[in-house]
Amino acid sequence: MAELSEAAGVPVPTIKYYMREGLVPPGRPTGRNQADYDQGHVRKIKLVRALADYGGLSIAAIRGLMHELDNPATELHRLLGAAQRTVTEHTEPRPGPHVEEAQRRIADLAARRGWHWEPDHPSFRTAVGVLSLLAEIGRQDMIDVLDGYAEAAERIAQADLAALGDLSDRERVVEVVVIGTALGDTLIAALRRMVQAHLSHELLGGHVEPPAR
Amino acid sequence: MAELSEAAGVPVPTIKYYMREGLVPPGRPTGRNQADYDQGHVRKIKLVRALADYGGLSIAAIRGLMHELDNPATELHRLLGAAQRTVTEHTEPRPGPHVEEAQRRIADLAARRGWHWEPDHPSFRTAVGVLSLLAEIGRQDMIDVLDGYAEAAERIAQADLAALGDLSDRERVVEVVVIGTALGDTLIAALRRMVQAHLSHELLGGHVEPPAR
């Protein structure tokens, strides 16, 4: 156990906790207080640690994901979807007169851009919720950003796909999807604000340029 | 007050609360329990309501923003920056061996893309934090998404700028920046996941297509 802790870089009590919670399988017992662990244990412990610490996942979410990961019958497409859903906040649209129109808009957008989509995907419902809220508060003008955002989302998802790398390594894929999606949202939001500040500076001038610029 | 409530679509107790908190100026007294309000009051009440409900801003944040809005000496570029900062989560990079390298990477990126930037902008620091964390956890491969994300951020910020519309209406500009930035992050994250699901489906096939596709 001490060697396992050193190899994984995770303290012994944390490893014991992971095992108690069923996130990491126990070792092969070799004596009263001894057990054998292999590289599979080391990798799994590192993965659980990364998902909890940097993906912000709950123990229950990690358990569900490990179950899919360890089940050979779970196809990679489904595993990717399960990993993505752990870091997806889902806001169901508030019922109202604008929901149907918003649904139509997002469905049209997906059709126009050739996206395969499912009407019960949590992110479809979330996008519908944002759009119907904008219509509800009379900010129809802000709905016009949709095509620009969709183009940007395609660029982002292509970069995400490239980062996935070798798809045969399922543990790596799960880690990259969870951490990349969680940290990626933060990185995208930060870069968006940097460009907003740049454009504002270009358009309206900073304090150092003459006003005529 | 009852007429004001009806015109703004905000309940009387909420309006009284806004006035008590100094978010909305009082009316011009016309009698013991009477006051005159104008269209400026109606607009301001609607704005405060929108910032609190849909931007998720605290009373203190709204008060600060109103102060900048009402100060004619605050240039539009500064007002936009103040509005943006109210909906910007700032995570300072954890000190570590990778921070300097991450700073260099983001600064290089900004220089390469011609972005005007300031090293103390909260979003610059946040982007540095994400990058140094990725390096720290050995996910160097995920740093390669940076250029794709930067391109996407440019597309997003251009759409955001177009949504701003008439820049002479400062109250509208504040509302669009705050709500657009907050709801925009959610919308972008949702579209990103929709395209990820689409690409996964394309690449790995769903359950309905033959595996050879």
Side-chain angles (χ1 to χ4, degrees):
Chain A
M1 178 67 86
E3 284 168 43
L4 182 64
S5 164
E6 203 178 345
V10 173
V12 169
T14 307
I15 295 178
K16 286 189 172 167
Y17 172 65
Y18 290 168
M19 288 182 177
R20 212 162 52 231
E21 291 288 338
L23 308 179
V24 173
R28 194 171 53 84
T30 55
R32 183 194 280 270
N33 267 317
Q34 291 271 336
D36 255 5
Y37 303 99
D38 57 24
Q39 274 307 310
H41 285 96
V42 174
R43 290 207 61 191
K44 189 129 313 171
I45 289 164
K46 281 183 165 179
L47 174 59
V48 170
R49 170 67 169 244
L51 297 182
D53 282 9
Y54 309 114
L57 263 54
S58 68
I59 295 299
I62 296 175
R63 192 184 292 119
L65 203 48
M66 290 297 144
H67 183 78
E68 300 278 11
L69 180 63
D70 292 336
N71 182 357
T74 301
E75 292 158 22
L76 190 54
H77 176 60
R78 261 194 59 188
L79 184 62
L80 287 170
Q84 189 204 55
R85 271 192 300 282
T86 62
V87 276
T88 298
E89 282 196 36
H90 175 205
T91 23
E92 191 63 20
R94 281 199 301 198
H98 301 285
V99 172
E100 221 169 291
E101 163 75 6
Q103 265 166 345
R104 199 187 52 69
R105 266 178 188 274
I106 303 277
D108 281 357
L109 178 81
R112 216 160 54 230
R113 307 198 73 91
W115 300 350
H116 168 89
W117 64 284
E118 280 146 33
D120 59 348
H121 192 288
S123 296
F124 175 78
R125 309 283 306 154
T126 298
V128 168
V130 172
L131 242 57
S132 61
L133 178 58
L134 286 174
E136 199 179 310
I137 64 178
R139 287 265 70 104
Q140 202 73 32
D141 43 0
M142 284 162 66
I143 296 175
D144 297 338
V145 300
L146 201 53
D147 277 279
Y149 282 11
E151 256 180 63
E154 287 173 359
R155 188 71 197 84
I156 292 164
Q158 277 156 12
D160 290 334
L161 183 68
L164 273 188
D166 176 11
L167 293 175
S168 68
D169 184 346
R170 285 162 64 102
E171 288 185 357
R172 185 178 176 284
V173 162
V174 164
E175 183 176 334
V176 171
V177 169
V178 171
I179 296 181
T181 305
L183 293 184
D185 282 347
T186 306
L187 186 54
I188 293 158
L191 294 173
R192 177 189 181 206
R193 283 156 177 76
M194 284 179 72
V195 186
Q196 284 176 341
H198 158 67
L199 290 179
S200 167
H201 180 270
E202 282 285 296
L203 189 70
L204 303 167
H207 301 279
V208 285
E209 279 90 8
R213 191 195 161 173
Chain B
M1 178 66 86
E3 283 168 47
L4 182 64
S5 165
E6 201 177 347
V10 173
V12 169
T14 306
I15 296 177
K16 285 188 172 166
Y17 173 65
Y18 290 167
M19 288 182 176
R20 212 162 51 230
E21 291 288 339
L23 309 179
V24 173
R28 195 171 52 85
T30 54
R32 183 194 281 269
N33 267 317
Q34 293 270 335
D36 255 6
Y37 302 99
D38 57 25
Q39 274 307 310
H41 284 95
V42 174
R43 290 207 62 189
K44 189 127 316 169
I45 290 165
K46 282 183 163 177
L47 174 60
V48 171
R49 170 69 168 245
L51 297 182
D53 282 9
Y54 308 115
L57 262 55
S58 69
I59 294 298
I62 296 175
R63 192 185 291 119
L65 203 47
M66 290 298 143
H67 182 78
E68 300 279 11
L69 180 64
D70 292 337
N71 181 358
T74 302
E75 291 158 26
L76 190 54
H77 177 60
R78 263 195 58 189
L79 184 61
L80 288 169
Q84 190 204 54
R85 272 192 299 281
T86 61
V87 278
T88 299
E89 283 196 36
H90 175 206
T91 24
E92 191 63 20
R94 283 198 299 196
H98 302 284
V99 172
E100 221 168 291
E101 163 75 5
Q103 264 165 346
R104 200 188 51 70
R105 266 178 189 273
I106 302 276
D108 280 358
L109 177 81
R112 216 159 54 228
R113 306 198 74 92
W115 299 349
H116 168 91
W117 65 284
E118 282 146 31
D120 59 348
H121 192 288
S123 296
F124 175 77
R125 308 284 305 155
T126 298
V128 168
V130 172
L131 243 58
S132 61
L133 179 58
L134 286 173
E136 199 179 311
I137 63 178
R139 286 265 70 104
Q140 202 72 32
D141 44 0
M142 285 162 65
I143 296 175
D144 298 338
V145 300
L146 201 54
D147 277 279
Y149 282 11
E151 257 180 62
E154 288 173 359
R155 188 70 197 86
I156 292 164
Q158 277 157 11
D160 290 335
L161 183 68
L164 273 188
D166 175 12
L167 293 175
S168 68
D169 184 346
R170 285 161 64 103
E171 289 184 356
R172 184 178 176 284
V173 163
V174 164
E175 183 177 334
V176 170
V177 169
V178 171
I179 297 182
T181 304
L183 293 184
D185 282 347
T186 307
L187 186 55
I188 292 158
L191 294 173
R192 177 189 180 206
R193 284 157 177 75
M194 285 180 70
V195 186
Q196 284 176 340
H198 158 68
L199 290 179
S200 167
H201 179 270
E202 283 283 296
L203 189 69
L204 304 168
H207 301 279
V208 285
E209 279 91 6
R213 192 197 159 172

